[in-house]
Amino acid sequence: MLEALGFAARWVDLIMLCVTTVSYNFLINGTPSGEVVPTRGIRQGDPLSPYLFIMCAEGLSLLLQKAQTQGSIHGCRVARAAPPVSHLFFADDSLLFFRANAQEAGTTVHREEVMAVLGVDQAPNFGKYLGLPAFVGRNKRAVFSYIEDKIKQRVGSWNKKLLSQAGKEILLKSVAQVMPTFSMSVFLLPESVCLSIERTMNRFWWGSGTDRRIHWNAWDRLCIPKKFGGLGFKDLRAFNLAMLGKQA
């Protein structure tokens, strides 16, 4: 990349010496240990690091722009008249946008070659980014089931015998109902997930130890504000819509 940008060979060699001649020493109980030589990388906090990162990212960006100009890939448009976006670069992440076919995927990334060089396996799922699912497909219930499982696990860990009704109310409002707030501010959760979470909270509210007690009121009545005779619990579906409306 340095050679492509026109740097002299001597300068490139000096830069590579900075990258390949790194060594570390550790203090164990105040005594320096033996020298550790990593296989690659530069020293932590090295001022060279951001420059090299930006140069490589710029080279990748130019290659993607060239592929888009040649018609090898087609970026994503937010509107018909908007310019296409083929990639977005963040601090340590790269998002590529192209048509979902084998031809454009092969133009952008040769997956087998990357896997062979880095020695990594293909991830079984897309995982999460900043605590939210990175990809939401058709089966939204399965994608957001982790919220339901976390709330069930948390509610199941509370001892009903040692809690009064007031204590249950505080726990449900301050913990259980707050846990899905972040996800609800970004995604519209399936109604089945909201209903399942509400059933979990309803069973906890009316339950007493191992015995199952009668539910004297439906959950929607408990969600009515206190000044109108309810208990002020959240209707999760309405709360989800309100959070998304606030974003809009």
Side-chain angles (χ1 to χ4, degrees):
M1 189 62 216
L2 291 171
E3 291 175 352
L5 291 174
F7 286 95
R10 174 61 177 161
W11 179 261
V12 176
D13 292 339
L14 290 174
I15 296 295
M16 291 308 300
L17 282 174
C18 295
V19 175
T20 57
T21 59
V22 181
S23 62
Y24 299 97
N25 284 308
F26 296 92
L27 290 176
I28 301 178
N29 296 328
T31 304
S33 64
E35 187 179 77
V36 178
V37 180
T39 57
R40 62 174 68 88
I42 56 180
R43 294 171 181 83
Q44 183 177 3
D46 196 307
L48 214 58
S49 178
Y51 290 103
L52 296 179
F53 180 85
I54 291 172
M55 286 179 181
C56 293
E58 182 67 19
L60 177 58
S61 177
L62 291 173
L63 289 173
L64 291 171
Q65 291 177 23
K66 181 180 178 182
Q68 181 172 298
T69 303
Q70 294 175 346
S72 301
I73 61 174
H74 299 79
C76 175
R77 295 177 184 268
V78 296
R80 290 187 178 182
V85 178
S86 61
H87 58 281
L88 292 174
F89 291 161
F90 298 94
D92 58 352
D93 290 312
S94 302
L95 299 179
L96 307 181
F97 302 94
F98 49 86
R99 291 178 180 173
N101 55 53
Q103 180 180 357
E104 295 202 9
T107 302
T108 309
V109 178
H110 296 282
R111 186 180 64 188
E112 290 77 11
E113 295 181 9
V114 174
M115 291 170 59
V117 172
L118 300 180
V120 297
D121 298 327
Q122 183 179 1
N125 53 56
F126 292 93
K128 297 178 184 177
Y129 183 73
L130 298 179
L132 296 174
F135 179 80
V136 179
R138 293 184 178 180
N139 191 357
K140 293 184 179 180
R141 176 65 188 269
V143 174
F144 294 105
S145 61
Y146 72 95
I147 302 175
E148 181 182 344
D149 295 338
K150 285 174 63 177
I151 294 176
K152 286 183 177 180
Q153 183 179 3
R154 181 63 64 86
V155 173
S157 65
W158 296 333
N159 194 333
K160 301 175 186 178
K161 291 183 178 180
L162 303 179
L163 292 170
S164 64
Q165 290 298 108
K168 291 181 180 180
E169 179 185 350
I170 295 298
L171 281 176
L172 288 176
K173 289 182 177 179
S174 61
V175 180
Q177 293 187 150
V178 175
M179 291 175 69
T181 301
F182 181 45
S183 301
M184 286 182 169
S185 65
V186 181
F187 296 107
L188 180 63
L189 270 60
E191 288 191 45
S192 57
V193 173
C194 296
L195 287 174
S196 178
I197 295 173
E198 288 176 348
R199 290 194 189 103
T200 301
M201 293 190 292
N202 200 16
R203 283 195 297 268
F204 176 76
W205 173 256
W206 293 109
S208 175
T210 57
D211 300 330
R212 297 188 64 181
R213 298 175 63 182
I214 298 174
H215 294 197
W216 294 106
N217 270 316
W219 181 255
D220 55 350
R221 291 193 176 185
L222 300 183
C223 293
I224 298 174
K226 287 189 175 182
K227 63 180 180 180
F228 297 117
L231 287 173
F233 289 113
K234 290 178 182 176
D235 181 339
L236 293 182
R237 183 66 176 182
F239 179 69
N240 194 178
L241 292 173
M243 293 292 290
L244 295 176
K246 185 177 180 181
Q247 292 286 357

